[in-house]
Amino acid sequence: MSTTTPMSRPHLNTELPRVSTGEKLDETKAERSIRRRHFRGRLDYKYSPYLYISPFFILFGLVGLFPLVYTFVVSINDWDLLGGAGEWVGLANYKAELTSPLFWNSLFNTFSIFLLSSIPQLVIATFIAAMLDQNLRAKTFWRMSVLVPYVVTPVAVTLIFSSAFDEKYGLINNLLGALNIDPVAWKTSVFPSHMAIATMVNWRWTGYNALILLAAMQAVPRELHESAAIDGAGMIRRFFSITLPSIRPTMIFVIITATIGGLQIFTEPKLFNPSSSVPGGPDRQYQTTVLYLWDLAFNRGDFGRASAVAWMLFLIIIVIGLINFLVSGSIASSSEKKKGRGTSKVTTKRAGRNAPQARIQSPAGSMKGSSTDE
């Protein structure tokens, strides 16, 4: 018998391929580069927004925050214009100004001019914005013409109005004389001088505020006005019920900016009467707080008291701004409550109207059911 030899099977290589040290180094370098990219991506995602907004805060710190802190430091020292820093006096400058009649006179003049300018300014600006929001011909022309007074420099505006309100040869007194009205002492009396300065402020800033309010009015959906018009609401009712509640945030912004600008008025009273040696009139009848601050710093050379006045005015502006914000917020919440009550009343009325219809339809439905059963 012949013997058969089994076929020789091929030998399987079970060993893993060997990796050289160079390949291992390449893999570690690739992993490190991937980790670095992920780390940089996470850093970019977390910290790049802060880097983008950092220029604003840097400029604010240099131009806004540092002068504010430095002014407070000056206010608690006996600081002279020529001599520089003196001895530390604490709150003596604040006490001296709070007991000074000139400070309270400037504060009264500031608030008087502010009220005479801001309230009519906002009312007229709202009316102009409502008119420009209508379908008028040459809309661009009217909007640009409203903005022209804002483009004119305040110095030119003040000089023009100063000559117009001149007591002897001014245009306003000449017009009053033509109407057999006695001339008004625009530059020597208290209330007429406040009216004249408020007129300058209103002429310059009304158009600017009107365009801001116009932009807010154009953002109100037209469907609200159309549905209100279909329901029978007139133009005035739509304005007070739809337009004004819709532009409330913009109105708050305009009120706050007008408050800040009105309490910091300087150019108009400074140049209103250039012939007067005393800034703010012969009897300081229209000397505002900022003008009084300037007089303390540069005419009297008392930087310490001037810095104290600046800080007190800063605190007054913050308090008035907070009051405006709280009052506007309370008005907004009360109006929302009224809206909620009105919607609940409407839903109850609709439910009351739909109830008889349901009662009328129910017997028909029962008859249909009985007929199908039969």
Side-chain angles (χ1 to χ4, degrees), residues 77-273:
N77 289 277
D78 187 11
W79 204 292
D80 188 70
L81 175 62
L82 300 177
E87 61 180 4
W88 184 79
V89 294
L91 300 177
N93 290 325
Y94 293 89
K95 294 179 182 178
E97 288 303 321
L98 290 175
T99 56
S100 174
L102 297 179
F103 171 73
W104 293 106
N105 175 66
S106 68
L107 204 61
F108 167 76
N109 295 333
T110 301
F111 276 94
S112 176
I113 296 172
F114 162 68
L115 293 176
L116 291 173
S117 60
S118 297
I119 296 175
Q121 179 187 142
L122 294 175
V123 174
I124 298 172
T126 306
F127 176 76
I128 293 174
M131 292 296 102
L132 294 176
D133 194 31
Q134 305 301 320
N135 293 324
L136 300 176
R137 295 182 179 179
K139 292 182 180 180
T140 306
F141 170 75
W142 294 113
R143 293 173 184 175
M144 292 302 295
S145 62
V146 166
L147 195 61
V148 167
Y150 177 74
V151 179
V152 182
T153 58
V155 177
V157 173
T158 307
L159 292 176
I160 293 170
F161 277 87
S162 177
S163 61
F165 284 102
D166 190 71
E167 296 178 357
K168 292 183 179 180
Y169 307 105
L171 176 63
I172 306 299
N173 279 341
N174 288 331
L175 292 176
L176 293 177
L179 298 174
N180 294 324
I181 301 175
D182 295 334
V184 180
W186 297 107
K187 296 184 178 181
T188 56
S189 299
V190 177
F191 184 72
S193 62
H194 293 181
M195 285 291 296
I197 295 172
T199 303
M200 287 188 282
V201 176
N202 291 333
W203 187 83
R204 185 167 184 264
W205 289 99
T206 301
Y208 175 80
N209 291 327
L211 287 184
I212 294 177
L213 295 174
L214 175 62
M217 289 180 185
Q218 289 182 341
V220 179
R222 297 296 176 184
E223 292 80 6
L224 297 177
H225 292 277
E226 293 175 357
S227 59
I230 292 172
D231 291 338
M235 183 182 297
I236 299 175
R237 180 64 183 276
R238 293 199 304 269
F239 177 76
F240 284 100
S241 300
I242 297 175
T243 304
L244 285 183
S246 300
I247 65 171
R248 186 180 293 111
T250 307
M251 185 67 73
I252 294 172
F253 168 77
V254 171
I255 291 172
I256 292 176
T257 53
T259 302
I260 296 172
L263 296 178
Q264 292 180 346
I265 184 172
F266 172 75
T267 306
E268 288 82 359
K270 178 66 175 64
L271 300 177
F272 182 60
N273 190 5

Side-chain angles (χ1 to χ4, degrees), residues 302-343:
D302 195 346
F303 267 38
R305 294 180 64 176
S307 300
V309 172
W311 254 92
M312 286 190 288
L313 180 62
F314 172 69
L315 296 176
I316 289 170
I317 291 173
I318 289 178
V319 170
I320 295 176
L322 290 175
I323 291 172
N324 286 334
F325 182 76
L326 294 175
V327 169
S328 58
S330 63
I331 293 173
S333 61
S334 62
S335 63
E336 288 178 358
K337 289 180 181 179
K338 290 181 180 179
K339 285 182 180 178
R341 292 174 183 174
T343 52

